[in-house]
Amino acid sequence: MTRASVVTGIGSCLPSRCVTNAELERTMDTSDAWIRARTGIARRYVVEDGTHTSDLAVGAAERALKSARLSADAIDAVIVATTTPDRPCPATAPTVAARLGAGPITAFDVSAVCSGFLYGLATASGLIASGAAERVLVVGAETFSRILNPEDRSTSVIFGDGAGAVVLRAGGQDETGALGPLRLGSDGTGVDLITVPSGGPPRPDGAEPADPADRYFTMQGKRVFWLAVQRMGECAAHVLDRAGWRLDDVDWLVSHQANHRITARLADEIGIPRERSVSNIAEVGNTAAASIPLALDHAHARGTLRPGDRVLLTAFGGGLTWGAAALTWPAIDPV
């Protein structure tokens, strides 16, 4: 029998600095009403100078391990999903593993932007299914504020920093907390729709870009909106079919927290009532790869998610990438 991956712990971490819409009103051509109407966001959290992605990742990981009642030396692998690693080289995951005291274990990063956490879950499930690992820590962590153009209100009002983490262990497919079918996809023809143009061999950091804004994250919002809804809807339907779940069987939809219009339109597209769509974007903004684990941890802490609830996860990000997964919510302690 194929070994399943079972969620046994969860945790999250946010920076201490909260940036409200009112603060952004004072620094750019925007307003609280404009931001709320278009994104649903009221505030987001951003790192101070000297705080790195690994710091947030370690904070979330420590809480997830505490939730799982495990010490770091019980983990066989650490996977960090991030678009904003501490350094271009090496990966951030080995740093996280070392700071946790996990020893010389498997540790690597996954880069799939806002779909990164689901790609990390799929990778961890492969390690567990193959017998290469018994317990895997999967972290989504971002310091997106570092790659945003402070003068671009189309991105700077949306994104925030943060991290979320889960601990997976080997178990049975019928256990509470078991991760069900997963579906991933990509389309490299959309590489320019969600991107940081400079920094790679075509436009290296050492060369002065033709446009200084090329150093910052950019996104073609209107095109991304419809592609996100379409791709997340398609892969969510595929996962539901493979899991043998009807729409009425789904207790909660937890999608990437891109903006409130996408999450609402996606719920309609899938056929799940909007009130069964978990949302924390008003409080934390779009945190990219950290989005889904943050939403899960916050919903768990509020008591929204209960043991045995059937949860549908789905995300869309740069690459273009997308994914979906089925999950039965576990009985775990909030931290």
Side-chain angles (χ1 to χ4, degrees):
M1 178 181 293
T2 302
R3 304 198 313 170
S5 296
V6 179
V7 176
T8 188
I10 189 167
S12 63
C13 180
L14 290 169
S16 59
R17 184 187 171 204
C18 177
V19 177
T20 64
N21 291 347
E23 181 174 339
L24 293 178
E25 283 181 327
R26 296 192 292 270
T27 60
M28 65 177 62
D29 181 20
T30 191
S31 68
D32 176 63
W34 188 91
I35 297 170
R36 287 177 185 266
R38 286 160 178 78
T39 70
I41 298 169
R43 58 184 176 273
R44 73 288 296 147
Y45 292 81
V46 301
V47 293
E48 302 280 6
D49 289 344
T51 300
H52 307 294
T53 295
S54 60
D55 296 317
L56 300 181
V58 168
E62 289 176 337
R63 289 169 175 82
L65 288 168
K66 184 176 181 180
S67 171
R69 301 182 182 180
L70 292 173
S71 60
D73 58 11
I75 299 299
D76 301 308
V78 174
I79 299 172
V80 174
T82 185
T83 316
T84 52
D86 288 359
R87 308 178 185 187
C89 175
T92 299
T95 299
V96 173
R99 288 180 56 185
L100 291 172
I105 63 172
T106 302
F108 56 93
D109 290 359
V110 171
S111 179
V113 197
C114 302
S115 306
F117 182 72
L118 290 184
Y119 270 67
L121 286 183
T123 306
S125 294
L127 292 175
I128 289 172
S130 70
E134 292 294 318
R135 297 182 182 89
V136 182
L137 176 66
V138 183
V139 186
E142 300 284 15
T143 50
F144 239 72
S145 62
R146 297 267 166 80
I147 60 172
L148 299 178
N149 184 343
E151 297 179 358
D152 180 7
R153 71 172 183 174
S154 69
T155 57
S156 288
V157 304
I158 297 174
F159 290 90
D161 303 331
V166 297
V167 178
L168 299 176
R169 63 165 175 83
Q173 294 174 334
D174 295 331
E175 287 189 60
T176 302
L179 188 65
L182 292 117
R183 175 79 165 184
L184 303 175
S186 73
D187 179 6
T189 65
V191 64
D192 291 325
L193 296 182
I194 302 173
T195 186
V196 177
S198 68
R203 300 188 217 178
D205 283 331
E208 186 65 26
D211 183 352
D214 282 355
R215 291 195 174 97
Y216 297 115
F217 174 88
T218 64
M219 180 172 60
Q220 297 182 34
K222 290 183 178 179
R223 292 185 64 187
V224 167
F225 181 103
W226 293 111
L227 282 169
V229 171
Q230 177 186 6
R231 294 303 190 186
M232 284 193 287
E234 288 173 352
C235 63
H238 180 88
V239 163
L240 289 175
D241 182 63
R242 285 183 56 200
W245 292 1
R246 300 168 302 174
L247 288 175
D248 289 344
D249 294 329
V250 178
D251 295 294
W252 297 103
L253 169 66
V254 182
S255 61
H256 165 54
Q257 303 292 292
N259 68 54
H260 77 114
R261 293 188 298 167
I262 287 181
T263 54
R265 185 68 187 87
L266 176 63
D268 295 343
E269 181 77 10
I270 296 173
I272 293 175
R274 292 184 179 186
E275 59 268 22
R276 299 213 313 262
S277 177
V278 168
S279 177
N280 70 338
I281 193 168
E283 291 80 32
V284 301
N286 181 338
T287 55
S291 168
I292 286 181
L294 267 170
L296 288 172
D297 190 44
H298 289 178
H300 177 59
R302 291 194 300 264
T304 301
L305 299 177
R306 299 182 180 277
D309 279 356
R310 291 183 171 183
V311 183
L312 177 62
L313 311 175
T314 186
F316 180 91
L320 300 168
T321 59
W322 55 86
L327 170 66
T328 303
W329 193 249
I332 53 176
D333 296 330
V335 176

